[in-house]
Amino acid sequence: TSMCVTEVNPQAVRVRSVNGEETILPADACIWACGLEPNSLIATLPFKQDGKGRLFVDATGRVQGQADIYALGDCSTFGPPLAQAAVRAASTIAHNIIRSSHRAPFFWQRGFTLSSYPMVLPLGGSYAILCTNFITIFGHGAYWLHKIADLIFYLRILPFRRALGLWLCGLRLFLKNDR
């Protein structure tokens, strides 16, 4: 879109175009949908990359052939392109950076495949489909499991009150739209 979000507040989203023009977009809700492409900066780095421009990494998170450079998320081959995988990878890499400074053995990421993660597809309102390796759930039950997973994720990255507030705000919005 060639637009950069510069501010998000409870009433609006402020964006800036590549030519510097700012626009304020009124909004009741903001849904962040990021792409699955590495940042263009990655292409300029002198490290081996796959066909999608992601850095090859080993099971410790280190960039292939580099002792002290790590990569995760959309710019690396360290797990599937999912937020849950990035959070898990961040924890592994953080431990490995600390262990490296103490010359301790690294943690190795095991079982890191797309099928390791349950998938939830919200269908609108309070309906969803949840698929795991073992079971598929439809309807309200899947929706509530999805909301519980959201809360757990928020609690991992935000202080308790902020996580709960964000979760309740999303819950109210979805339930409001279900009427």
Side-chain angles (χ1 to χ4, degrees):
T1 61
S2 301
M3 303 291 276
C4 176
V5 174
T6 59
E7 179 186 0
V8 177
N9 63 52
Q11 294 82 31
V13 177
R14 182 186 305 262
V15 296
R16 184 178 332 127
S17 67
V18 289
N19 65 5
E21 181 181 319
E22 288 204 348
T23 305
I24 297 175
L25 306 168
D28 291 328
C30 177
I31 300 170
W32 176 46
C34 63
L36 297 177
E37 293 182 1
N39 186 297
S40 57
L41 171 68
I42 300 301
T44 68
L45 299 176
F47 308 124
K48 190 172 179 185
Q49 300 168 17
D50 70 3
K52 297 179 180 177
R54 299 176 303 170
L55 298 171
F56 282 109
V57 296
D58 64 18
T60 67
R62 287 183 295 184
V63 172
Q64 194 175 64
Q66 304 299 312
D68 296 320
I69 300 175
Y70 298 81
L72 68 122
D74 296 342
C75 72
S76 81
T77 58
F78 197 58
L82 299 170
Q84 309 96 297
V87 169
R88 184 172 164 192
S91 176
T92 298
I93 290 173
H95 282 97
N96 284 339
I97 291 170
I98 293 167
R99 295 175 78 77
S100 173
S101 68
H102 296 291
R103 301 190 192 289
F106 285 116
F107 286 126
W108 291 80
Q109 191 71 59
R110 299 185 193 281
F112 213 53
T113 63
L114 191 57
S115 62
S116 301
Y117 298 95
M119 300 290 174
V120 178
L121 176 63
L123 300 174
S126 58
Y127 297 95
I129 299 172
L130 175 117
C131 300
T132 70
N133 288 342
F134 311 106
I135 192 168
T136 300
I137 302 172
F138 301 88
H140 295 294
Y143 168 79
W144 285 106
L145 288 171
H146 169 58
K147 295 312 290 178
I148 291 167
D150 283 350
L151 179 58
I152 291 168
F153 176 72
Y154 295 150
L155 288 169
R156 284 185 176 178
I157 63 171
L158 297 170
F160 178 79
R161 289 178 61 110
R162 189 140 186 214
L164 187 60
L166 181 62
W167 184 77
L168 288 171
C169 181
L171 182 63
R172 280 191 300 270
L173 182 66
F174 272 95
L175 292 177
K176 176 181 155 186
N177 289 336
D178 196 34
R179 291 183 191 154

